[in-house]
Coordinates of all heavy atoms in Angstrom, one line a residue:
M28 N 176.7 64.8 109.4 CA 175.6 63.7 109.2 C 175.9 62.9 108.1 O 176.2 63.4 107.0 CB 174.2 64.3 109.1 CG 173.5 64.4 110.4 SD 171.8 65.0 109.9 CE 171.1 65.1 111.6
P29 N 175.9 61.5 108.2 CA 176.0 60.7 107.0 C 175.0 61.0 105.9 O 173.7 61.4 106.3 CB 175.8 59.3 107.6 CG 175.9 59.4 109.1 CD 175.6 60.8 109.5
K30 N 175.2 60.9 104.7 CA 174.4 61.0 103.6 C 174.0 59.7 103.1 O 174.7 58.8 103.0 CB 175.1 61.9 102.5 CG 175.7 63.2 102.8 CD 175.0 64.3 102.2 CE 175.5 65.5 102.5 NZ 174.7 66.5 103.2
V31 N 172.6 59.8 102.7 CA 172.1 58.6 101.9 C 171.5 59.1 100.6 O 170.8 60.2 100.5 CB 170.9 57.8 102.7 CG1 170.4 56.7 101.9 CG2 171.5 57.4 104.0
T32 N 171.8 58.4 99.5 CA 171.2 59.0 98.3 C 170.2 57.8 97.8 O 170.6 56.7 97.8 CB 172.3 59.1 97.1 OG1 173.1 60.1 97.6 CG2 171.6 59.4 95.8
F33 N 169.0 58.3 97.5 CA 168.0 57.4 97.1 C 167.8 57.6 95.6 O 167.8 58.7 95.2 CB 166.6 57.6 97.8 CG 166.7 57.4 99.2 CD1 167.0 58.4 100.2 CD2 166.3 56.0 99.8 CE1 167.0 58.1 101.5 CE2 166.4 55.8 101.1 CZ 166.6 56.9 102.0
I34 N 167.7 56.6 94.8 CA 167.5 56.7 93.4 C 166.0 56.1 93.2 O 165.8 55.0 93.5 CB 168.4 55.9 92.4 CG1 169.9 56.4 92.9 CG2 168.1 56.1 90.9 CD1 170.9 55.5 92.1
K35 N 165.2 57.0 92.7 CA 163.8 56.6 92.6 C 163.6 55.8 91.3 O 164.6 55.7 90.5 CB 162.9 57.8 92.3 CG 162.7 58.7 93.7 CD 161.8 59.9 93.2 CE 161.5 60.8 94.4 NZ 160.5 61.8 94.0
V36 N 162.4 55.1 91.2 CA 162.3 54.3 90.0 C 162.5 55.1 88.7 O 163.0 54.5 87.7 CB 160.8 53.7 90.1 CG1 160.5 52.9 88.9 CG2 160.8 52.8 91.3
D37 N 162.1 56.3 88.6 CA 162.3 57.1 87.4 C 163.6 57.7 87.2 O 164.0 58.4 86.3 CB 161.1 58.2 87.3 CG 161.4 59.3 88.5 OD1 162.5 59.2 89.2 OD2 160.6 60.2 88.6
G38 N 164.5 57.3 88.1 CA 165.9 57.7 87.9 C 166.3 58.9 88.8 O 167.5 59.3 88.8
E39 N 165.3 59.8 89.2 CA 165.6 60.9 90.1 C 166.3 60.5 91.4 O 166.0 59.6 92.1 CB 164.2 61.6 90.5 CG 164.6 62.9 91.1 CD 163.2 63.4 91.7 OE1 162.2 63.0 91.5 OE2 163.5 64.3 92.6
K40 N 167.4 61.3 91.7 CA 168.3 61.1 92.8 C 167.8 62.1 93.9 O 167.6 63.2 93.8 CB 169.7 61.3 92.5 CG 170.3 60.2 91.6 CD 171.7 60.3 91.5 CE 172.2 59.3 90.6 NZ 173.6 59.4 90.2
V41 N 167.6 61.5 95.1 CA 167.4 62.3 96.3 C 168.4 62.1 97.3 O 168.6 61.0 97.8 CB 165.9 62.0 96.8 CG1 165.6 62.8 98.1 CG2 165.0 62.1 95.8
E42 N 169.1 63.1 97.6 CA 170.2 62.9 98.7 C 169.7 63.6 100.0 O 169.1 64.6 100.0 CB 171.5 63.7 98.2 CG 172.6 63.4 99.2 CD 174.0 64.1 98.7 OE1 174.1 65.4 99.2 OE2 174.7 63.6 98.1
A43 N 170.0 62.8 101.1 CA 169.4 63.3 102.4 C 170.5 63.1 103.5 O 171.5 62.3 103.4 CB 168.2 62.3 102.7
D44 N 170.3 64.0 104.5 CA 171.2 63.8 105.7 C 170.5 62.8 106.6 O 169.2 62.8 106.7 CB 171.2 65.1 106.5 CG 172.1 66.1 105.8 OD1 173.1 65.7 105.2 OD2 171.6 67.3 105.7
A45 N 171.2 61.7 107.0 CA 170.6 60.8 107.8 C 171.1 60.7 109.3 O 172.4 60.9 109.5 CB 170.8 59.5 107.1
K46 N 170.2 60.6 110.1 CA 170.8 60.6 111.6 C 171.3 59.2 111.9 O 170.7 58.2 111.6 CB 169.5 60.8 112.6 CG 169.8 61.8 113.5 CD 168.7 61.8 114.7 CE 167.5 62.7 114.3 NZ 166.4 62.4 115.0
V47 N 172.5 59.1 112.5 CA 173.1 57.9 112.9 C 172.0 57.2 113.9 O 171.5 57.8 114.8 CB 174.4 58.1 113.6 CG1 174.9 56.9 114.3 CG2 175.4 58.7 112.7
G48 N 171.9 55.9 113.6 CA 170.9 55.1 114.5 C 169.7 55.0 113.9 O 169.0 54.0 114.2
N49 N 169.2 55.8 113.0 CA 167.9 55.7 112.3 C 168.1 54.5 111.3 O 169.3 54.2 110.8 CB 167.6 56.8 111.6 CG 166.8 57.8 112.4 OD1 166.6 57.6 113.6 ND2 166.3 58.9 111.8
T50 N 167.0 54.0 110.8 CA 167.1 53.1 109.7 C 167.0 53.8 108.3 O 166.4 54.9 108.3 CB 166.1 51.9 109.7 OG1 164.9 52.4 109.5 CG2 166.1 51.1 111.0
V51 N 167.6 53.1 107.3 CA 167.4 53.8 105.9 C 165.9 53.9 105.6 O 165.5 54.8 104.9 CB 168.1 53.0 105.0 CG1 167.8 53.4 103.5 CG2 169.6 53.1 105.2
M52 N 165.0 53.0 106.0 CA 163.6 53.1 105.9 C 163.0 54.3 106.5 O 162.2 55.1 105.9 CB 162.9 51.8 106.4 CG 161.3 51.9 106.3 SD 160.5 52.7 107.6 CE 160.5 51.4 108.9
E53 N 163.5 54.6 107.8 CA 163.0 55.8 108.5 C 163.4 57.1 107.7 O 162.7 58.2 107.6 CB 163.5 55.9 109.9 CG 162.9 54.8 110.8 CD 163.6 54.5 112.1 OE1 164.8 54.7 112.2 OE2 162.9 54.2 113.2
V54 N 164.6 57.0 107.1 CA 165.1 58.2 106.4 C 164.1 58.4 105.2 O 163.7 59.5 105.0 CB 166.6 58.1 105.9 CG1 167.0 59.3 105.2 CG2 167.5 57.9 107.2
A55 N 163.9 57.3 104.5 CA 163.0 57.4 103.2 C 161.6 57.9 103.7 O 161.0 58.7 102.9 CB 162.9 56.1 102.6
K56 N 161.1 57.4 104.8 CA 159.6 57.9 105.1 C 159.7 59.4 105.5 O 158.8 60.0 105.3 CB 159.2 57.1 106.4 CG 159.0 55.6 106.1 CD 158.0 55.4 104.9 CE 156.6 55.2 105.3 NZ 155.7 55.1 104.2
E57 N 160.8 59.8 106.2 CA 160.9 61.2 106.6 C 160.9 62.1 105.2 O 160.4 63.3 105.2 CB 162.1 61.5 107.3 CG 161.9 61.3 108.8 CD 163.3 61.4 109.6 OE1 164.2 62.0 109.1 OE2 163.2 60.8 110.7
L58 N 161.4 61.6 104.2 CA 161.5 62.3 103.0 C 160.2 62.1 102.2 O 160.1 62.7 101.1 CB 162.6 61.8 102.1 CG 164.1 62.2 102.6 CD1 165.1 61.4 101.8 CD2 164.4 63.6 102.5
D59 N 159.3 61.4 102.6 CA 158.1 61.0 101.9 C 158.4 60.4 100.6 O 157.6 60.6 99.6 CB 157.4 62.3 101.7 CG 155.8 62.1 101.9 OD1 155.4 61.0 102.4 OD2 155.1 63.0 101.5
L60 N 159.3 59.5 100.5 CA 159.6 58.9 99.3 C 158.5 57.7 99.1 O 158.0 57.2 100.0 CB 161.1 58.3 99.3 CG 162.1 59.4 99.2 CD1 163.5 58.7 99.5 CD2 162.1 60.1 97.9
P61 N 158.3 57.3 97.8 CA 157.3 56.3 97.6 C 157.7 54.9 98.0 O 158.6 54.1 97.3 CB 157.2 56.4 96.0 CG 158.4 57.0 95.5 CD 159.0 57.7 96.5
M62 N 157.6 54.6 99.3 CA 158.0 53.4 99.9 C 156.8 53.0 100.9 O 156.6 53.9 101.9 CB 159.1 53.5 100.6 CG 159.6 52.2 101.3 SD 161.3 52.4 102.2 CE 162.3 52.7 101.0
L63 N 156.2 51.8 100.7 CA 155.1 51.5 101.7 C 155.6 51.2 103.1 O 155.1 51.8 104.1 CB 154.4 50.3 101.0 CG 152.9 50.0 101.5 CD1 152.2 51.3 101.3 CD2 152.4 48.9 100.7
A64 N 156.7 50.4 103.2 CA 157.2 50.0 104.6 C 155.9 49.7 105.5 O 155.8 50.2 106.6 CB 158.0 51.1 105.1
A65 N 155.1 48.9 105.0 CA 153.8 48.5 105.6 C 153.8 48.1 107.2 O 153.0 48.5 107.9 CB 153.0 47.5 104.9
C66 N 155.0 47.5 107.4 CA 154.9 46.9 108.8 C 155.8 47.8 109.8 O 155.9 47.4 110.9 CB 155.6 45.5 108.9 SG 157.3 45.4 108.7
G67 N 156.2 48.9 109.2 CA 156.9 49.9 110.1 C 158.2 49.6 110.6 O 158.7 50.0 111.6
G68 N 158.9 48.5 109.9 CA 160.2 48.0 110.4 C 160.2 46.8 111.2 O 161.2 46.4 111.9
A69 N 159.1 46.1 111.3 CA 159.0 45.0 112.2 C 159.4 43.6 111.6 O 159.3 42.6 112.2 CB 157.5 44.8 112.7
L70 N 160.0 43.8 110.4 CA 160.3 42.6 109.6 C 159.2 41.7 109.4 O 159.4 40.5 109.6 CB 161.5 42.0 110.3 CG 162.6 41.1 109.4 CD1 163.0 42.0 108.2 CD2 163.9 40.8 110.3
A71 N 158.1 42.2 108.9 CA 157.0 41.3 108.6 C 156.4 41.7 107.3 O 155.2 41.2 107.0 CB 155.9 41.7 109.7
C72 N 157.2 42.4 106.4 CA 156.5 42.7 105.1 C 157.8 42.7 104.2 O 158.9 42.4 104.6 CB 155.7 44.0 104.9 SG 156.8 45.5 105.1
A73 N 157.7 43.0 102.9 CA 158.9 43.2 102.2 C 158.8 44.4 101.3 O 159.3 44.7 100.3 CB 159.1 42.0 101.2
T74 N 157.9 45.3 101.9 CA 157.7 46.6 101.1 C 158.6 47.8 101.3 O 158.3 48.8 100.9 CB 156.2 47.0 101.4 OG1 156.0 47.3 102.8 CG2 155.2 46.0 101.0
C75 N 159.7 47.4 102.1 CA 160.8 48.4 102.1 C 162.1 48.0 101.3 O 163.2 48.4 101.5 CB 161.1 48.6 103.5 SG 161.7 47.2 104.3
H76 N 161.7 47.1 100.4 CA 162.8 46.4 99.6 C 163.6 47.5 98.7 O 162.9 48.3 98.0 CB 162.2 45.5 98.6 CG 163.1 44.8 97.5 ND1 162.6 44.5 96.2 CD2 164.4 44.7 97.6 CE1 163.7 43.9 95.7 NE2 164.8 44.1 96.5
V77 N 164.9 47.5 98.8 CA 165.7 48.4 98.0 C 166.8 47.6 97.4 O 167.2 46.5 97.9 CB 166.3 49.7 98.8 CG1 165.3 50.5 99.3 CG2 167.2 49.1 100.0
V78 N 167.4 48.1 96.5 CA 168.6 47.5 95.8 C 169.8 48.3 96.2 O 169.8 49.5 95.9 CB 168.5 47.4 94.2 CG1 169.7 46.8 93.7 CG2 167.3 46.5 93.9
V79 N 170.7 47.8 96.9 CA 171.9 48.5 97.4 C 172.9 48.6 96.4 O 173.2 47.7 95.6 CB 172.4 47.9 98.7 CG1 173.7 48.7 99.2 CG2 171.4 47.8 99.8
D80 N 173.5 49.8 96.2 CA 174.6 50.0 95.1 C 175.8 48.9 95.5 O 176.0 48.7 96.6 CB 175.2 51.3 95.2 CG 176.3 51.6 94.2 OD1 177.5 51.2 94.6 OD2 175.9 52.2 93.1
E81 N 176.3 48.2 94.5 CA 177.1 47.2 94.7 C 178.3 47.5 95.6 O 178.8 46.8 96.4 CB 177.7 46.6 93.3 CG 176.7 45.7 92.7 CD 177.3 45.2 91.4 OE1 178.5 45.3 91.2 OE2 176.5 44.8 90.6
D82 N 178.8 48.8 95.4 CA 179.9 49.2 96.2 C 179.7 49.4 97.7 O 180.6 49.4 98.5 CB 180.5 50.6 95.7 CG 181.0 50.5 94.3 OD1 181.3 49.3 93.9 OD2 181.1 51.5 93.5
W83 N 178.4 49.5 98.0 CA 178.0 49.7 99.4 C 177.4 48.5 100.1 O 177.2 48.6 101.3 CB 176.9 50.8 99.4 CG 177.5 52.2 99.1 CD1 177.6 52.8 97.9 CD2 178.3 53.0 100.2 NE1 178.4 53.9 98.1 CE2 178.6 54.1 99.4 CE3 178.6 52.8 101.4 CZ2 179.5 55.0 100.1 CZ3 179.3 53.8 102.1 CH2 179.7 54.9 101.4
Y84 N 177.2 47.5 99.3 CA 176.4 46.4 100.0 C 177.1 45.8 101.3 O 176.3 45.6 102.3 CB 176.3 45.2 98.9 CG 175.4 44.1 99.4 CD1 174.0 44.3 99.5 CD2 176.0 43.0 99.8 CE1 173.2 43.2 100.1 CE2 175.2 41.8 100.3 CZ 173.9 42.1 100.4 OH 173.0 41.0 100.9
D85 N 178.3 45.7 101.2 CA 179.1 45.1 102.3 C 179.1 46.0 103.7 O 179.2 45.5 104.7 CB 180.6 44.9 102.1 CG 180.8 43.6 101.0 OD1 179.8 42.9 100.9 OD2 181.8 43.6 100.5
K86 N 178.7 47.1 103.4 CA 178.6 48.2 104.6 C 177.3 48.2 105.2 O 177.0 48.9 106.2 CB 179.0 49.6 104.1 CG 180.4 49.7 103.6 CD 181.1 50.7 104.3 CE 182.5 50.6 103.9 NZ 183.4 51.8 103.6
T87 N 176.3 47.5 104.7 CA 175.0 47.5 105.1 C 174.6 46.5 106.2 O 173.5 46.4 106.7 CB 173.9 47.4 104.0 OG1 174.2 46.1 103.3 CG2 174.0 48.5 102.9
G88 N 175.7 45.8 106.6 CA 175.5 44.8 107.7 C 175.0 43.4 107.3 O 174.7 43.2 106.2
E89 N 174.9 42.5 108.4 CA 174.5 41.2 108.1 C 172.9 41.1 107.8 O 172.2 41.9 108.1 CB 174.7 40.4 109.4 CG 176.1 40.2 109.8 CD 176.8 39.2 108.9 OE1 176.2 38.1 108.6 OE2 177.8 39.6 108.3
V90 N 172.7 40.2 106.9 CA 171.3 39.9 106.6 C 170.8 38.7 107.4 O 171.4 37.7 107.4 CB 171.0 39.5 105.1 CG1 169.7 39.2 104.8 CG2 171.6 40.7 104.2
C91 N 170.0 38.9 108.4 CA 169.4 37.8 109.3 C 168.5 36.9 108.4 O 168.0 37.2 107.3 CB 168.8 38.3 110.4 SG 167.2 39.0 110.2
E92 N 168.3 35.6 109.0 CA 167.5 34.7 108.3 C 166.1 35.1 108.0 O 165.5 34.9 106.9 CB 167.4 33.4 109.2 CG 167.6 32.2 108.4 CD 167.7 30.9 109.3 OE1 168.7 30.8 110.1 OE2 166.7 30.2 109.4
D93 N 165.5 35.8 108.9 CA 164.1 36.3 108.7 C 164.1 37.3 107.6 O 163.1 37.3 106.7 CB 163.5 37.1 109.9 CG 163.1 36.0 111.0 OD1 163.1 34.8 110.7 OD2 162.9 36.5 112.1
E94 N 165.0 38.2 107.5 CA 165.1 39.1 106.3 C 165.4 38.3 105.0 O 164.6 38.6 103.9 CB 166.2 40.1 106.5 CG 166.3 41.1 105.4 CD 167.4 42.2 105.4 OE1 168.1 42.2 106.5 OE2 167.6 42.9 104.5
E95 N 166.2 37.3 105.0 CA 166.3 36.5 103.8 C 165.2 35.8 103.4 O 164.8 35.9 102.1 CB 167.4 35.4 104.0 CG 168.8 35.8 103.6 CD 169.8 34.7 104.0 OE1 169.4 33.5 104.2 OE2 171.0 35.1 104.3
D96 N 164.4 35.3 104.3 CA 163.1 34.7 104.0 C 162.1 35.7 103.4 O 161.5 35.3 102.3 CB 162.4 34.1 105.2 CG 163.1 32.8 105.7 OD1 164.0 32.4 104.9 OD2 162.8 32.4 106.8
L97 N 162.1 36.9 104.0 CA 161.1 37.8 103.4 C 161.6 38.4 102.0 O 160.7 38.6 101.2 CB 161.0 39.2 104.4 CG 160.0 38.9 105.5 CD1 160.1 40.0 106.5 CD2 158.6 38.9 104.9
L98 N 162.9 38.6 101.9 CA 163.4 39.0 100.6 C 163.0 38.0 99.5 O 162.8 38.4 98.3 CB 164.9 39.0 100.7 CG 165.4 40.5 101.2 CD1 166.9 40.3 101.4 CD2 165.2 41.6 100.2
D99 N 162.9 36.7 99.9 CA 162.6 35.7 98.8 C 161.1 36.0 98.3 O 160.7 35.5 97.3 CB 162.6 34.4 99.4 CG 164.0 33.8 99.5 OD1 164.9 34.5 98.9 OD2 164.3 32.9 100.3
T100 N 160.3 36.8 99.0 CA 159.0 37.1 98.5 C 158.9 38.4 97.7 O 157.9 38.7 97.3 CB 158.0 37.2 99.7 OG1 158.3 38.3 100.5 CG2 158.1 36.1 100.7
A101 N 160.0 39.1 97.8 CA 160.1 40.5 97.1 C 160.2 40.3 95.6 O 160.7 39.4 95.1 CB 161.2 41.2 97.6
H102 N 159.5 41.3 94.9 CA 159.7 41.4 93.5 C 161.1 41.9 93.0 O 161.6 42.7 93.8 CB 158.5 42.2 92.9 CG 157.2 41.8 93.0 ND1 156.5 41.0 92.1 CD2 156.5 41.7 94.2 CE1 155.3 40.7 92.7 NE2 155.2 41.2 93.9
D103 N 161.5 41.5 91.9 CA 162.7 42.1 91.3 C 163.9 41.9 92.3 O 164.7 42.7 92.4 CB 162.5 43.4 90.9 CG 161.3 43.8 90.1 OD1 161.1 43.0 89.2 OD2 160.6 44.8 90.2
L104 N 164.0 40.8 92.8 CA 165.1 40.4 93.7 C 166.4 40.5 93.0 O 166.5 39.9 91.9 CB 164.9 39.1 94.4 CG 165.7 38.7 95.6 CD1 165.4 39.8 96.8 CD2 165.5 37.3 96.0
T105 N 167.5 41.1 93.7 CA 168.8 41.1 93.0 C 169.7 40.6 94.2 O 169.5 40.6 95.4 CB 169.1 42.5 92.6 OG1 169.5 43.3 93.9 CG2 168.0 43.2 91.9
P106 N 171.0 40.4 93.7 CA 172.0 40.0 94.7 C 172.3 41.0 95.8 O 172.8 40.7 96.8 CB 173.3 39.7 93.8 CG 172.8 39.4 92.4 CD 171.5 40.3 92.3
T107 N 172.0 42.3 95.6 CA 172.3 43.3 96.6 C 171.0 43.9 97.1 O 170.9 45.0 97.7 CB 173.1 44.5 96.0 OG1 172.5 45.2 94.8 CG2 174.4 44.0 95.5
S108 N 169.9 43.1 97.0 CA 168.6 43.6 97.7 C 168.7 43.5 99.1 O 169.2 42.6 99.7 CB 167.5 42.6 97.1 OG 167.2 42.9 95.9
R109 N 168.1 44.4 99.8 CA 168.0 44.5 101.3 C 166.6 45.1 101.6 O 165.9 45.7 100.7 CB 168.9 45.5 101.9 CG 170.4 45.1 101.9 CD 170.7 43.8 102.7 NE 170.2 43.8 104.0 CZ 170.8 44.1 105.2 NH1 172.1 44.6 105.1 NH2 170.4 44.1 106.3
L110 N 166.2 44.7 102.7 CA 164.9 45.5 103.3 C 165.5 46.5 104.1 O 166.2 46.3 105.0 CB 164.2 44.4 104.2 CG 163.6 43.2 103.5 CD1 162.8 42.3 104.4 CD2 162.7 43.6 102.2
C111 N 165.2 47.7 103.7 CA 165.9 48.9 104.3 C 165.6 49.3 105.7 O 166.4 50.1 106.3 CB 166.0 50.0 103.3 SG 164.4 50.8 103.1
C112 N 164.5 48.6 106.2 CA 164.4 48.9 107.7 C 165.4 48.1 108.5 O 165.3 48.3 109.7 CB 163.0 48.4 108.1 SG 162.6 46.7 108.0
Q113 N 166.2 47.3 107.8 CA 167.1 46.5 108.6 C 168.6 47.1 108.3 O 169.5 46.5 108.8 CB 167.2 45.0 108.1 CG 165.9 44.4 108.3 CD 165.4 44.5 109.8 OE1 166.2 44.1 110.7 NE2 164.2 45.0 110.0
I114 N 168.7 48.3 107.6 CA 170.0 48.9 107.4 C 170.0 50.1 108.3 O 169.2 51.1 108.2 CB 170.1 49.4 106.0 CG1 169.9 48.3 105.0 CG2 171.5 50.1 105.8 CD1 169.9 48.6 103.6
K115 N 171.0 50.0 109.2 CA 171.1 51.1 110.2 C 172.1 52.2 109.7 O 173.1 51.8 109.0 CB 171.8 50.6 111.5 CG 170.7 49.9 112.4 CD 170.3 50.8 113.5 CE 169.5 50.1 114.6 NZ 168.2 50.6 114.7
V116 N 171.8 53.4 109.7 CA 172.7 54.5 109.4 C 173.8 54.6 110.4 O 173.7 54.7 111.6 CB 171.9 55.9 109.3 CG1 173.0 57.0 109.0 CG2 170.8 55.9 108.3
T117 N 175.1 54.5 109.9 CA 176.1 54.6 110.8 C 177.2 55.7 110.0 O 176.9 56.1 108.9 CB 177.0 53.4 111.0 OG1 177.5 52.9 109.8 CG2 176.1 52.3 111.5
E118 N 178.2 56.0 110.7 CA 179.2 56.9 110.0 C 179.8 56.1 108.9 O 180.2 56.8 107.9 CB 180.3 57.3 111.2 CG 179.9 58.2 112.2 CD 179.3 59.5 111.7 OE1 179.6 60.0 110.7 OE2 178.8 60.3 112.5
D119 N 179.9 54.9 108.9 CA 180.4 54.1 107.9 C 179.5 54.0 106.6 O 180.0 53.7 105.5 CB 180.6 52.6 108.4 CG 181.9 52.4 109.0 OD1 182.7 53.3 109.1 OD2 182.2 51.3 109.6
T120 N 178.3 54.3 106.8 CA 177.4 54.2 105.6 C 177.3 55.8 104.9 O 176.5 55.9 104.1 CB 176.0 53.8 106.0 OG1 175.3 54.8 106.9 CG2 175.9 52.5 106.7
D121 N 178.1 56.6 105.4 CA 178.1 58.0 104.7 C 178.3 57.8 103.3 O 179.4 57.3 102.8 CB 179.2 58.8 105.5 CG 179.1 60.2 104.8 OD1 178.0 60.7 104.4 OD2 180.2 60.8 104.8
G122 N 177.5 58.1 102.4 CA 177.5 58.2 101.0 C 176.7 56.9 100.4 O 176.8 56.8 99.3
L123 N 176.0 56.2 101.2 CA 175.3 55.1 100.8 C 174.3 55.4 99.7 O 173.7 56.5 99.7 CB 174.4 54.6 102.0 CG 173.5 53.3 101.9 CD1 174.3 52.1 101.4 CD2 172.7 53.2 103.0
V124 N 174.2 54.5 98.7 CA 173.4 54.7 97.6 C 172.4 53.5 97.5 O 172.8 52.3 97.4 CB 174.1 54.8 96.2 CG1 173.1 55.0 95.1 CG2 175.1 56.1 96.4
V125 N 171.1 53.7 97.4 CA 170.1 52.6 97.4 C 169.1 53.0 96.4 O 168.7 54.2 96.1 CB 169.4 52.3 98.7 CG1 170.4 51.9 99.8 CG2 168.5 53.4 99.2
K126 N 168.8 52.1 95.6 CA 167.7 52.3 94.5 C 166.3 51.7 95.1 O 166.2 50.6 95.6 CB 168.0 51.4 93.3 CG 167.9 52.2 92.1 CD 168.1 51.3 90.9 CE 169.5 51.3 90.4 NZ 169.8 50.5 89.2
L127 N 165.4 52.6 95.0 CA 163.9 52.1 95.3 C 163.4 51.1 94.3 O 163.8 51.1 93.2 CB 163.0 53.3 95.5 CG 163.4 54.5 96.5 CD1 162.3 55.5 96.5 CD2 163.6 53.9 97.8
T128 N 162.5 50.2 94.7 CA 161.9 49.3 93.7 C 160.5 49.7 93.5 O 159.9 50.4 94.3 CB 162.0 47.9 94.3 OG1 161.3 47.8 95.5 CG2 163.5 47.6 94.6
P129 N 159.9 49.3 92.4 CA 158.5 49.7 92.1 C 157.4 49.3 93.2 O 156.5 49.9 93.4 CB 158.2 48.8 90.8 CG 159.7 48.7 90.2 CD 160.5 48.5 91.3
M130 N 157.8 48.1 93.8 CA 156.8 47.7 94.8 C 157.1 48.4 96.2 O 156.3 48.2 97.1 CB 156.9 46.2 95.0 CG 156.5 45.4 93.9 SD 154.7 45.7 93.6 CE 153.9 44.9 95.0
S131 N 158.2 49.2 96.4 CA 158.5 49.6 97.7 C 157.8 51.0 98.0 O 157.2 51.5 97.0 CB 160.0 49.8 97.8 OG 160.6 50.6 97.0
Ligands
FES13 FE1 158.3 45.8 106.7 FE2 160.8 46.5 106.4 S1 159.1 47.8 106.7 S2 160.1 44.6 106.6

């Protein structure tokens, strides 16, 4: 199973086994990490905002226009910010590292 490492706001790292086909948001919710993900993955909020580790950003897939627009409303936006309900777990994302944000 591919692994995803979440880095909490306080720096604590949480490594998880992630099911291929799930989204990174779903993985975070299963772990009960502090992430609102208010719209449940419908691309209608920005409360699943994470900062993807630079080395992994290119593996997280395309950012669609709707996600870009929503990201513009997120706090602490960075060049590697993503809405993690839009990141699918694949074999290629094995080892993915994402940082949670205070608002997520
Ligand atoms: Fe709402 Fe990701 S959970 S946009």
